[in-house]
C-alpha cells in the first residue's frame, strides 16, 4: 500500500467543546465553532506495510514505546481505518508538530485530523469530507473541526452518523488574526479528555448548556456578517463560561486529594486577560479566548495585529513568552503520496 503524507492545522474554538454525551464516540454535548490556525500544523505520514509485525509511531523523531498511551491512541485510530478498509496490516506512522504541545494549542486536533487523512489515503479508502470528519472525531473530538477549511462548525448531532464538522466560511472570508501568547510550555495538569468528564460536577453546568445554542447562532451570524464586536464579545464571554465550568468542577485526584476545580489559568494568563480589558478601553479592538491551557489567544482583525503584538511585547518585558500569529487556514489535506 502507498505511503501517504497529510497535513492538518490546529484549530481555535470560538464556541467550546467541553462535555460529552458519549465518551467512546466523542459525541459532544453541544455544537462548537472554530477557525483553523495557519501557524500550527501537524504533518503525518502513514504507511500500511504487510512486512510490519505491529504498528510503530514516531513522534517528532522519537519512536514511542508500545505501552505509551499516545501510541495506543494512534493504534486504536488505525484500527478504525483498518476496519473500514477491511485489512489487518500494520502501519508505520511518522508525525511532527510545529508548535508546543499541551499549552493551549489542541495538538490532538491537528494530530488526529492529519492521521485520519494519511491513514485513509494509505489504506486506499475514498472518503468524503463528512466521513473524514466523523472518523477524525472518534480519535479526538476537536479533530473533527480540523478537516474542513477556514471557519468551521461541528454539528453536535445525535449519533455517530450525524456528528461531524462543516465549513461556515472559506479562510479568505474574513481577515482575522489569532495572536497566541504562549506563557508556558509545560504540559497541562489535567488533560482535556479528563476535563470533559468532570463538567457535570459544576453547579453551573445546566446554565452553560442553556446558553450555548444562542451563542452558536450569534457567532455564526458574526462570522458570516463580519461583525467583529459581536464576535469578540461572544468569544470572550464563552471562554469565561468554559473556564467557569472548569474552575468549579470539583473532584478527587488520583492520589485521593480533593480539588475545588481545574485551574488552566496561570498568573501570566490572568495578567493578559486583564490587560485586554484595558487595551479595549484604550480603543484597540481585541478580545481573548482560552482553551484548556494557559495560552491566551488574542483575536483581532488583520489591520490591528501589529498593535496587538506591540501591546503584548510591552507587557511581556523580559518574560519568556512566545507569540505565534495565525490567520485562517485550509483544511486537512494530502501533501504527498
Ligand atoms: C478545550 O478534542 O482535546 O480545546 O475529544 O477527549 O480528545 P477529546 O478532547 P479534545 O477537547 C478539546 C477541548 C478544548 C475546546 C475545543 O477545542 O472546543
Amino acid at each position: 500500500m502507498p505511503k501517504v503524507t497529510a497535513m492538518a492545522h490546529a484549530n481555535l474554538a470560538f464556541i467550546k467543546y467541553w462535555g460529552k454525551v458519549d465518551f467512546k464516540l466523542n459525541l459532544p454535548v453541544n455544537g462548537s465553532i472554530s477557525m483553523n490556525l495557519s501557524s500550527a500544523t501537524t504533518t503525518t505520514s502513514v504507511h500500511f506495510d504487510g512486512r510490519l509485525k505491529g504498528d510503530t509511531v514516531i513522534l517528532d523523531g522519537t519512536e514511542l514505546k508500545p505501552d505509551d498511551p499516545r501510541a495506543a491512541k494512534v493504534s486504536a485510530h488505525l484500527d478504525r481505518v483498518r476496519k473500514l478498509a477491511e485489512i489487518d496490516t500494520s502501519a508505520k506512522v511518522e508525525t511532527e508538530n510545529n508548535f508546543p504541545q499541551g499549552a493551549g494549542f489542541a495538538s490532538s486536533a491537528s494530530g488526529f485530523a492529519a492521521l485520519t487523512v494519511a491513514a485513509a489515503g494509505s489504506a486506499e479508502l475514498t472518503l468524503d469530507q463528512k466521513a473524514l470528519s466523523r472518523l477524525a472525531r472518534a480519535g479526538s473530538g476537536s479533530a473533527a473541526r480540523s478537516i474542513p477549511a477556514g471557519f468551521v462548525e461541528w454539528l453536535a448531532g445525535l449519533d455517530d452518523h450525524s456528528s461531524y464538522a462543516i465549513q461556515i466560511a472559506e479562510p479568505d472570508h474574513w481577515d482575522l488574526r489569532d495572536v497566541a501568547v504562549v506563557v508556558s510550555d509545560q504540559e497541562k495538569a489535567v488533560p482535556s479528555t479528563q476535563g470533559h468528564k468532570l463538567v457535570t460536577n459544576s453547579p453551573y453546568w445546566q446554565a452553560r448548556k442553556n446558553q450555548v445554542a444562542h451563542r452558536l447562532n450569534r457567532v455564526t451570524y458574526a462570522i458570516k456578517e463580519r461583525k467583529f464586536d459581536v464576535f469578540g464579545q461572544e468569544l470572550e464571554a464563552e471562554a469565561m463560561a468554559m473556564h467557569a465550568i472548569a474552575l468549579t468542577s470539583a473532584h478527587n485526584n488520583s492520589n485521593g486529594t480533593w480539588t475545588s476545580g481545574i485551574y488552566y489559568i496561570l498568573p501570566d494568563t490572568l495578567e493578559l486577560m486583564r490587560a485586554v480589558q484595558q487595551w479595549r478601553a484604550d480603543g484597540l479592538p481585541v478580545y481573548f479566548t482560552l482553551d484548556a491551557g494557559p495560552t491566551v489567544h488574542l483575536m483581532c482583525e488583520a489591520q490591528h495585529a501589529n498593535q496587538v503584538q506591540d501591546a503584548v511585547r510591552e507587557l511581556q518585558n523580559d518574560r519568556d513568552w512566545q507569540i505565534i500569529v495565525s490567520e485562517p487556514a485550509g483544511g486537512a489535506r494530502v501533501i504527498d503520496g
Side-chain angles (χ1 to χ4, degrees):
M1 288 176 181
K3 174 178 167 177
V4 174
T5 305
M7 194 266 259
H9 296 272
N11 66 72
L12 175 64
F14 302 144
I15 302 292
K16 308 296 185 185
Y17 156 50
W18 198 242
K20 309 184 192 190
V21 291
D22 186 315
F23 287 83
K24 199 159 160 271
L25 295 170
N26 290 334
L27 301 180
V29 170
N30 55 270
S32 52
I33 294 179
S34 62
M35 179 184 104
N36 289 342
L37 300 176
S38 62
S39 297
T41 61
T42 301
T43 305
T44 301
S45 66
V46 175
H47 188 192
F48 285 106
D49 181 347
R51 294 165 299 181
L52 294 171
K53 297 266 174 292
D55 297 327
T56 51
V57 182
I58 300 164
L59 172 63
D60 294 328
T62 307
E63 186 173 335
L64 300 181
K65 302 225 162 59
D67 60 352
D68 186 312
R70 293 170 299 178
K73 273 193 97 174
V74 170
S75 274
H77 201 58
L78 294 173
D79 285 343
R80 294 181 187 107
V81 174
R82 282 188 275 255
K83 195 171 166 198
L84 281 176
E86 298 177 350
I87 55 172
D88 59 5
T89 318
S90 294
K92 180 176 178 186
V93 176
E94 289 173 85
T95 186
E96 277 182 21
N97 293 315
N98 76 339
F99 55 92
Q101 284 177 60
F105 285 99
S107 63
S108 65
S110 51
F112 279 95
L115 179 65
T116 299
V117 172
S122 180
E124 296 176 298
L125 284 169
T126 311
L127 301 178
D128 61 13
Q129 184 174 285
K130 174 176 164 181
L132 287 168
S133 179
R134 287 176 46 220
L135 188 54
R137 186 205 74 230
S140 175
S142 54
R145 296 190 310 241
S146 282
I147 298 288
F151 299 88
V152 172
E153 177 171 2
W154 174 8
L155 308 169
L158 295 170
D159 57 16
D160 182 37
H161 283 274
S162 54
S163 187
Y164 59 93
I166 56 167
Q167 183 180 71
I168 299 175
E170 292 283 355
D172 64 3
H173 165 74
W174 198 5
D175 207 6
L176 290 183
R177 292 290 178 277
D178 167 36
V179 178
V181 187
V182 183
V183 299
S184 161
D185 59 6
Q186 282 183 7
E187 287 281 333
K188 56 196 165 205
V190 182
S192 39
T193 301
Q194 181 68 9
H196 287 292
K197 290 193 178 130
L198 298 173
V199 293
T200 47
N201 291 8
S202 167
Y204 309 115
W205 175 237
Q206 197 56 46
R208 182 203 162 33
K209 281 208 297 192
N210 294 344
Q211 176 187 50
V212 76
H214 178 61
R215 189 158 274 157
L216 278 162
N217 286 337
R218 297 267 297 166
V219 170
T220 306
Y221 157 81
I223 290 172
K224 286 195 169 150
E225 301 298 324
R226 301 185 197 89
K227 301 274 188 204
F228 186 69
D229 283 321
V230 176
F231 170 77
Q233 286 168 23
E234 295 296 339
L235 173 88
E236 200 169 300
E238 168 66 1
M240 297 307 285
M242 181 201 127
H243 281 263
I245 298 300
L247 282 163
T248 51
S249 295
H251 59 281
N252 288 316
N253 298 305
S254 49
N255 65 5
T257 58
W258 180 84
T259 304
S260 53
I262 313 172
Y263 298 70
Y264 290 116
I265 295 168
L266 293 176
D268 284 1
T269 316
L270 186 59
E271 200 179 322
L272 277 153
M273 290 160 70
R274 294 179 67 123
V276 168
Q277 315 308 312
Q278 187 57 49
W279 297 336
R280 262 203 316 271
D282 295 342
L284 182 59
V286 56
Y287 295 85
F288 71 75
T289 187
L290 314 160
D291 275 340
T295 296
V296 182
H297 292 269
L298 303 169
M299 290 298 305
C300 63
E301 292 184 290
Q303 67 266 30
H304 296 119
N306 284 339
Q307 263 174 284
V308 169
Q309 286 180 77
D310 289 347
V312 172
R313 286 211 185 85
E314 201 183 316
L315 185 75
Q316 174 181 8
N317 224 329
D318 56 0
R319 281 176 283 190
D320 187 19
W321 291 356
Q322 199 187 343
I323 301 175
I324 302 171
V325 182
S326 286
E327 54 191 76
R333 54 202 179 263
V334 170
I335 53 171
D336 194 20

PDB file of all heavy atoms in Angstrom, residues 300-316:
ATOM      1  N   CYS A 300      -8.082  39.512  16.695  1.00  0.00           N
ATOM      2  CA  CYS A 300      -8.282  40.874  16.181  1.00  0.00           C
ATOM      3  C   CYS A 300      -8.396  40.794  14.664  1.00  0.00           C
ATOM      4  O   CYS A 300      -8.154  39.746  14.071  1.00  0.00           O
ATOM      5  CB  CYS A 300      -7.122  41.779  16.594  1.00  0.00           C
ATOM      6  SG  CYS A 300      -5.526  41.282  15.930  1.00  0.00           S
ATOM      7  N   GLU A 301      -8.772  41.918  14.067  1.00  0.00           N
ATOM      8  CA  GLU A 301      -8.758  41.971  12.609  1.00  0.00           C
ATOM      9  C   GLU A 301      -7.324  42.271  12.169  1.00  0.00           C
ATOM     10  O   GLU A 301      -6.529  42.855  12.918  1.00  0.00           O
ATOM     11  CB  GLU A 301      -9.766  43.012  12.124  1.00  0.00           C
ATOM     12  CG  GLU A 301     -11.197  42.538  12.424  1.00  0.00           C
ATOM     13  CD  GLU A 301     -12.274  43.470  11.889  1.00  0.00           C
ATOM     14  OE1 GLU A 301     -12.412  44.580  12.442  1.00  0.00           O
ATOM     15  OE2 GLU A 301     -12.974  43.084  10.929  1.00  0.00           O
ATOM     16  N   ALA A 302      -7.001  41.876  10.935  1.00  0.00           N
ATOM     17  CA  ALA A 302      -5.605  41.921  10.478  1.00  0.00           C
ATOM     18  C   ALA A 302      -4.980  43.300  10.650  1.00  0.00           C
ATOM     19  O   ALA A 302      -3.798  43.413  11.020  1.00  0.00           O
ATOM     20  CB  ALA A 302      -5.532  41.483   9.015  1.00  0.00           C
ATOM     21  N   GLN A 303      -5.765  44.358  10.436  1.00  0.00           N
ATOM     22  CA  GLN A 303      -5.172  45.702  10.480  1.00  0.00           C
ATOM     23  C   GLN A 303      -4.722  46.109  11.887  1.00  0.00           C
ATOM     24  O   GLN A 303      -3.996  47.082  12.041  1.00  0.00           O
ATOM     25  CB  GLN A 303      -6.132  46.759   9.894  1.00  0.00           C
ATOM     26  CG  GLN A 303      -7.405  47.016  10.678  1.00  0.00           C
ATOM     27  CD  GLN A 303      -8.584  46.176  10.187  1.00  0.00           C
ATOM     28  OE1 GLN A 303      -8.403  45.058   9.688  1.00  0.00           O
ATOM     29  NE2 GLN A 303      -9.794  46.701  10.321  1.00  0.00           N
ATOM     30  N   HIS A 304      -5.138  45.339  12.915  1.00  0.00           N
ATOM     31  CA  HIS A 304      -4.721  45.673  14.282  1.00  0.00           C
ATOM     32  C   HIS A 304      -3.694  44.697  14.854  1.00  0.00           C
ATOM     33  O   HIS A 304      -3.283  44.838  16.012  1.00  0.00           O
ATOM     34  CB  HIS A 304      -5.949  45.730  15.203  1.00  0.00           C
ATOM     35  CG  HIS A 304      -6.905  46.818  14.823  1.00  0.00           C
ATOM     36  ND1 HIS A 304      -8.202  46.578  14.439  1.00  0.00           N
ATOM     37  CD2 HIS A 304      -6.727  48.158  14.728  1.00  0.00           C
ATOM     38  CE1 HIS A 304      -8.792  47.724  14.134  1.00  0.00           C
ATOM     39  NE2 HIS A 304      -7.916  48.697  14.295  1.00  0.00           N
ATOM     40  N   ALA A 305      -3.276  43.739  14.042  1.00  0.00           N
ATOM     41  CA  ALA A 305      -2.410  42.673  14.574  1.00  0.00           C
ATOM     42  C   ALA A 305      -1.060  43.208  15.063  1.00  0.00           C
ATOM     43  O   ALA A 305      -0.543  42.743  16.087  1.00  0.00           O
ATOM     44  CB  ALA A 305      -2.208  41.585  13.525  1.00  0.00           C
ATOM     45  N   ASN A 306      -0.497  44.176  14.372  1.00  0.00           N
ATOM     46  CA  ASN A 306       0.799  44.719  14.815  1.00  0.00           C
ATOM     47  C   ASN A 306       0.674  45.464  16.142  1.00  0.00           C
ATOM     48  O   ASN A 306       1.511  45.312  17.034  1.00  0.00           O
ATOM     49  CB  ASN A 306       1.399  45.655  13.756  1.00  0.00           C
ATOM     50  CG  ASN A 306       1.988  44.857  12.599  1.00  0.00           C
ATOM     51  OD1 ASN A 306       2.291  43.671  12.757  1.00  0.00           O
ATOM     52  ND2 ASN A 306       2.118  45.491  11.446  1.00  0.00           N
ATOM     53  N   GLN A 307      -0.413  46.241  16.262  1.00  0.00           N
ATOM     54  CA  GLN A 307      -0.643  46.974  17.515  1.00  0.00           C
ATOM     55  C   GLN A 307      -0.829  46.011  18.685  1.00  0.00           C
ATOM     56  O   GLN A 307      -0.336  46.253  19.780  1.00  0.00           O
ATOM     57  CB  GLN A 307      -1.912  47.815  17.381  1.00  0.00           C
ATOM     58  CG  GLN A 307      -1.682  49.264  16.997  1.00  0.00           C
ATOM     59  CD  GLN A 307      -3.042  49.919  16.763  1.00  0.00           C
ATOM     60  OE1 GLN A 307      -3.663  49.683  15.733  1.00  0.00           O
ATOM     61  NE2 GLN A 307      -3.506  50.704  17.722  1.00  0.00           N
ATOM     62  N   VAL A 308      -1.557  44.922  18.413  1.00  0.00           N
ATOM     63  CA  VAL A 308      -1.779  43.932  19.474  1.00  0.00           C
ATOM     64  C   VAL A 308      -0.442  43.319  19.891  1.00  0.00           C
ATOM     65  O   VAL A 308      -0.132  43.200  21.082  1.00  0.00           O
ATOM     66  CB  VAL A 308      -2.793  42.848  19.016  1.00  0.00           C
ATOM     67  CG1 VAL A 308      -2.830  41.673  19.990  1.00  0.00           C
ATOM     68  CG2 VAL A 308      -4.182  43.451  18.856  1.00  0.00           C
ATOM     69  N   GLN A 309       0.374  42.964  18.902  1.00  0.00           N
ATOM     70  CA  GLN A 309       1.683  42.376  19.241  1.00  0.00           C
ATOM     71  C   GLN A 309       2.555  43.364  20.012  1.00  0.00           C
ATOM     72  O   GLN A 309       3.268  42.982  20.945  1.00  0.00           O
ATOM     73  CB  GLN A 309       2.408  41.950  17.971  1.00  0.00           C
ATOM     74  CG  GLN A 309       1.832  40.695  17.361  1.00  0.00           C
ATOM     75  CD  GLN A 309       2.575  40.319  16.106  1.00  0.00           C
ATOM     76  OE1 GLN A 309       3.671  39.782  16.172  1.00  0.00           O
ATOM     77  NE2 GLN A 309       2.004  40.636  14.961  1.00  0.00           N
ATOM     78  N   ASP A 310       2.516  44.634  19.615  1.00  0.00           N
ATOM     79  CA  ASP A 310       3.306  45.651  20.334  1.00  0.00           C
ATOM     80  C   ASP A 310       2.857  45.739  21.789  1.00  0.00           C
ATOM     81  O   ASP A 310       3.676  45.833  22.705  1.00  0.00           O
ATOM     82  CB  ASP A 310       3.141  47.029  19.668  1.00  0.00           C
ATOM     83  CG  ASP A 310       3.861  47.086  18.322  1.00  0.00           C
ATOM     84  OD1 ASP A 310       4.669  46.168  18.046  1.00  0.00           O
ATOM     85  OD2 ASP A 310       3.597  48.035  17.549  1.00  0.00           O
ATOM     86  N   ALA A 311       1.530  45.711  21.987  1.00  0.00           N
ATOM     87  CA  ALA A 311       0.994  45.805  23.351  1.00  0.00           C
ATOM     88  C   ALA A 311       1.444  44.594  24.178  1.00  0.00           C
ATOM     89  O   ALA A 311       1.817  44.729  25.348  1.00  0.00           O
ATOM     90  CB  ALA A 311      -0.530  45.878  23.305  1.00  0.00           C
ATOM     91  N   VAL A 312       1.443  43.413  23.550  1.00  0.00           N
ATOM     92  CA  VAL A 312       1.883  42.198  24.267  1.00  0.00           C
ATOM     93  C   VAL A 312       3.360  42.324  24.635  1.00  0.00           C
ATOM     94  O   VAL A 312       3.761  42.048  25.778  1.00  0.00           O
ATOM     95  CB  VAL A 312       1.647  40.925  23.420  1.00  0.00           C
ATOM     96  CG1 VAL A 312       2.284  39.706  24.093  1.00  0.00           C
ATOM     97  CG2 VAL A 312       0.159  40.690  23.192  1.00  0.00           C
ATOM     98  N   ARG A 313       4.176  42.789  23.684  1.00  0.00           N
ATOM     99  CA  ARG A 313       5.627  42.876  23.951  1.00  0.00           C
ATOM    100  C   ARG A 313       5.928  43.856  25.072  1.00  0.00           C
ATOM    101  O   ARG A 313       6.827  43.636  25.876  1.00  0.00           O
ATOM    102  CB  ARG A 313       6.367  43.277  22.678  1.00  0.00           C
ATOM    103  CG  ARG A 313       6.417  42.121  21.710  1.00  0.00           C
ATOM    104  CD  ARG A 313       7.638  42.082  20.827  1.00  0.00           C
ATOM    105  NE  ARG A 313       7.459  40.990  19.881  1.00  0.00           N
ATOM    106  CZ  ARG A 313       6.793  41.117  18.734  1.00  0.00           C
ATOM    107  NH1 ARG A 313       6.297  42.284  18.363  1.00  0.00           N
ATOM    108  NH2 ARG A 313       6.651  40.075  17.944  1.00  0.00           N
ATOM    109  N   GLU A 314       5.150  44.935  25.112  1.00  0.00           N
ATOM    110  CA  GLU A 314       5.376  45.926  26.170  1.00  0.00           C
ATOM    111  C   GLU A 314       5.060  45.318  27.539  1.00  0.00           C
ATOM    112  O   GLU A 314       5.801  45.508  28.501  1.00  0.00           O
ATOM    113  CB  GLU A 314       4.489  47.142  25.909  1.00  0.00           C
ATOM    114  CG  GLU A 314       4.995  48.385  26.615  1.00  0.00           C
ATOM    115  CD  GLU A 314       4.063  49.563  26.400  1.00  0.00           C
ATOM    116  OE1 GLU A 314       3.617  49.770  25.255  1.00  0.00           O
ATOM    117  OE2 GLU A 314       3.784  50.254  27.390  1.00  0.00           O
ATOM    118  N   LEU A 315       3.971  44.554  27.596  1.00  0.00           N
ATOM    119  CA  LEU A 315       3.575  43.904  28.851  1.00  0.00           C
ATOM    120  C   LEU A 315       4.556  42.792  29.233  1.00  0.00           C
ATOM    121  O   LEU A 315       4.849  42.577  30.410  1.00  0.00           O
ATOM    122  CB  LEU A 315       2.165  43.320  28.696  1.00  0.00           C
ATOM    123  CG  LEU A 315       1.515  42.704  29.922  1.00  0.00           C
ATOM    124  CD1 LEU A 315       1.043  43.808  30.868  1.00  0.00           C
ATOM    125  CD2 LEU A 315       0.314  41.845  29.508  1.00  0.00           C
ATOM    126  N   GLN A 316       5.042  42.113  28.230  1.00  0.00           N
ATOM    127  CA  GLN A 316       5.895  40.934  28.415  1.00  0.00           C
ATOM    128  C   GLN A 316       7.158  41.248  29.208  1.00  0.00           C
ATOM    129  O   GLN A 316       7.588  40.480  30.056  1.00  0.00           O
ATOM    130  CB  GLN A 316       6.283  40.370  27.045  1.00  0.00           C
ATOM    131  CG  GLN A 316       7.284  39.231  27.101  1.00  0.00           C
ATOM    132  CD  GLN A 316       7.642  38.750  25.698  1.00  0.00           C
ATOM    133  OE1 GLN A 316       7.262  39.354  24.694  1.00  0.00           O
ATOM    134  NE2 GLN A 316       8.386  37.670  25.641  1.00  0.00           N
TER     135      GLN A 316
END
